Amino acid sequence: MFKEFMDPNFFVEELEDINRKLVKGAEILTTISDVEVEPTPKELVFEEDKMKLYHYLPGDALTCPTPILICYALVNRQYMMDLQSDRSLIRNLLGQGLDIYIIDWGYPDHGDRYVTMEDYIDVYLNDCVDFVRDRTGCDRINLLGVCQGGTFSIIYSALYPEKIRNLITMVAPVDFHTTDGLLNVWSQYMDIDNMVDTMGIIPGEFMNVGFLMLKPFQLMVDKYVGLMDNLDDPATVANFVRMEKWIFDSPAQAGEAYRKFLKDLYQENKLVKGELMIGDRRVDLGRITMPLLNIYATEDHLVPPASTIPLNDLVGSEDKTLYSFPGGHIGIYVSSRSQKELAPSVSEFLIERCPEGRDGHQVCGLPALGTEEHPQAKMRAAARSSKPAASKKGGAAAKKKGGAAKKPPAKKEAAPARKAAAKKKAVPGKATKAGQAKKA
């Protein structure tokens, strides 16, 4: 290699190649006015303030009738999961026969500076869960939380376990006092009160600078150098521009929610200590008893595995799975390996734990409802032959039914002003194409 650098012809050829790529790259970039994201068709079905709930148009056949609600982070945008047609976890999950809803949190502005974590969890997320339950007729739905949205989903599942059938978390921080991630370390020394009191809402640009500084050489130098090698490839350039669009499409953070998330979780680690309060309720992770699939990325620099893995030891679930994905925080959604492995793993987890279909027919590996082989029929047969067992099962069923119908009283107490002011409405089935949704 050293000899090549000393050869003048080598330099000339390299300069010619770079010049050719620059010219070609300039031609390509000038023809790209915008890039399409969120290619998978979906419909807006519910909205409340700036929050919108979308339903992806399902495939030909559902393998699991219990819908899945995706709760993304407040940081960045949820279309990372549906970035382009050949890099879409959403599309792959639909292909596995799942029924999918996703929350779009919108773009907070200064009018949202007093929106709290209680608003996001007790109002917006809870209203989305109730809407999906009402729309599908399922008492309990599947909840999939991503990154910060995973933390919200964990908190929600602990507060409302009667509404969640299965909980899936992806790269979700739980133990914030790990020193494996720079973000965790830096957060210990931030003056959060000063930031929120000064700015009101935390600008997305401010957040982006912090994220770029976590890996300055890779994120601010290396990727652009890497682009030079493929600047004459239209597909590579389009993919690069699409990713850049997502990276810098950063909503601001509502001040009060940001204050509580950083202080209570990053600085005081209250979630794992069992000290986190949402409204007047303590979040007890032991109340999470539904099946859990906890997915983490081995090379995640934003949410290190040490922050995610402890969840499985903190919940009360007996059925819990820890899934290790080789990759980073973003690669878990867009890498080629992800397209082949992640969606089938998620769908397999859900289908194995799915009840009978809405019409009572077998769809998920269970015998059909009404047959002697169905678990409920076996339970009734056991109840008839054993009086104590019948009393025990009947009591448990009655409690479960009553618990699902009863609305937790704390919801009414949490953020009453926000709840009263919230504008919410169900949206008639208006089909729209991804990317056409107007920004809030």
Side-chain angles (χ1 to χ4, degrees), residues 82-137:
D82 186 30
L83 193 62
Q84 59 191 67
S85 57
D86 59 344
R87 295 184 182 187
S88 172
L89 179 62
I90 297 291
R91 177 163 293 195
N92 286 330
L93 289 174
L94 287 171
Q96 296 290 323
L98 300 184
D99 188 17
I100 305 172
Y101 292 78
I102 193 167
I103 298 173
D104 177 351
W105 296 115
Y107 295 84
D109 56 28
H110 282 280
D112 301 302
R113 65 175 298 174
Y114 297 112
V115 174
T116 64
M117 266 182 65
E118 283 79 0
D119 293 323
Y120 280 114
I121 293 171
D122 270 333
V123 180
Y124 298 133
L125 178 53
N126 189 40
D127 286 348
C128 286
V129 170
D130 284 345
F131 178 86
V132 175
R133 292 168 69 224
D134 292 342
R135 191 172 196 246
T136 60

Side-chain angles (χ1 to χ4, degrees), residues 78-330:
Q78 76 287 344
Y79 60 78
M80 169 50 66
M81 304 181 74
D82 186 30
L83 193 62
Q84 59 191 67
S85 57
D86 59 344
R87 295 184 182 187
S88 172
L89 179 62
I90 297 291
R91 177 163 293 195
N92 286 330
L93 289 174
L94 287 171
Q96 296 290 323
L98 300 184
D99 188 17
I100 305 172
Y101 292 78
I102 193 167
I103 298 173
D104 177 351
W105 296 115
Y107 295 84
D109 56 28
H110 282 280
D112 301 302
R113 65 175 298 174
Y114 297 112
V115 174
T116 64
M117 266 182 65
E118 283 79 0
D119 293 323
Y120 280 114
I121 293 171
D122 270 333
V123 180
Y124 298 133
L125 178 53
N126 189 40
D127 286 348
C128 286
V129 170
D130 284 345
F131 178 86
V132 175
R133 292 168 69 224
D134 292 342
R135 191 172 196 246
T136 60
C138 294
D139 288 339
R140 293 183 293 165
I141 67 171
N142 298 320
L143 183 59
L144 189 158
V146 177
C147 190
Q148 182 189 30
T151 309
F152 283 6
S153 299
I154 293 166
I155 295 170
Y156 182 86
S157 298
L159 296 175
Y160 301 88
E162 71 279 3
K163 298 183 182 181
I164 304 303
R165 180 175 297 281
N166 298 291
L167 172 62
I168 301 173
T169 57
M170 286 185 175
V171 292
V174 178
D175 184 351
F176 292 82
H177 274 188
T178 176
T179 56
D180 286 1
L182 273 179
L183 197 59
N184 298 79
V185 176
W186 290 351
S187 300
Q188 301 300 314
Y189 303 98
M190 291 181 181
D191 189 341
I192 306 301
D193 287 333
N194 194 17
M195 291 168 60
V196 175
D197 293 343
T198 302
M199 294 187 284
I201 60 172
I202 308 301
E205 296 80 3
F206 177 87
M207 304 285 293
N208 265 335
V209 170
F211 293 137
L212 291 175
M213 291 305 295
L214 293 172
K215 282 190 171 183
F217 181 78
Q218 181 176 344
L219 299 178
M220 292 191 284
V221 178
D222 187 53
K223 68 175 181 180
Y224 297 107
V225 174
L227 176 64
M228 281 293 299
D229 292 335
N230 299 286
L231 202 53
D232 54 348
D233 180 359
T236 300
V237 173
N239 290 345
F240 182 87
V241 173
R242 191 175 289 109
M243 181 62 76
E244 290 292 285
K245 177 177 181 176
W246 176 82
I247 290 173
F248 294 102
D249 186 4
S250 303
Q253 302 296 297
E256 293 306 319
Y258 183 84
R259 188 198 305 269
K260 186 177 180 70
F261 194 80
L262 267 290
K263 293 186 69 173
D264 284 9
L265 298 178
Y266 271 96
Q267 293 188 340
E268 300 183 35
N269 208 21
K270 288 184 176 179
L271 184 58
V272 299
K273 294 178 180 176
E275 300 172 356
L276 180 66
M277 299 294 293
I278 296 295
D280 61 354
R281 291 167 297 161
R282 186 176 68 85
V283 179
D284 178 6
L285 295 180
R287 297 190 69 207
I288 296 177
T289 56
M290 70 288 295
L292 166 69
L293 175 59
N294 183 14
I295 303 170
Y296 69 95
T298 57
E299 308 302 323
D300 196 333
H301 72 290
L302 291 172
V303 182
S307 178
T308 303
I309 292 173
L311 176 63
N312 285 48
D313 294 327
L314 297 169
V315 299
S317 308
E318 294 183 358
D319 181 359
K320 48 192 174 185
T321 303
L322 188 62
Y323 185 101
S324 171
F325 181 84
H329 193 76
I330 305 304

Side-chain angles (χ1 to χ4, degrees), residues 5 10-26 225 227-232:
F5 278 115
F10 173 78
F11 275 107
V12 172
E13 291 173 359
E14 281 292 297
L15 287 174
E16 288 178 347
D17 186 53
I18 292 173
N19 185 60
R20 180 185 61 78
K21 288 181 177 178
L22 284 174
V23 172
K24 183 65 176 178
V225 174
L227 176 64
M228 281 293 299
D229 292 335
N230 299 286
L231 202 53
D232 54 348

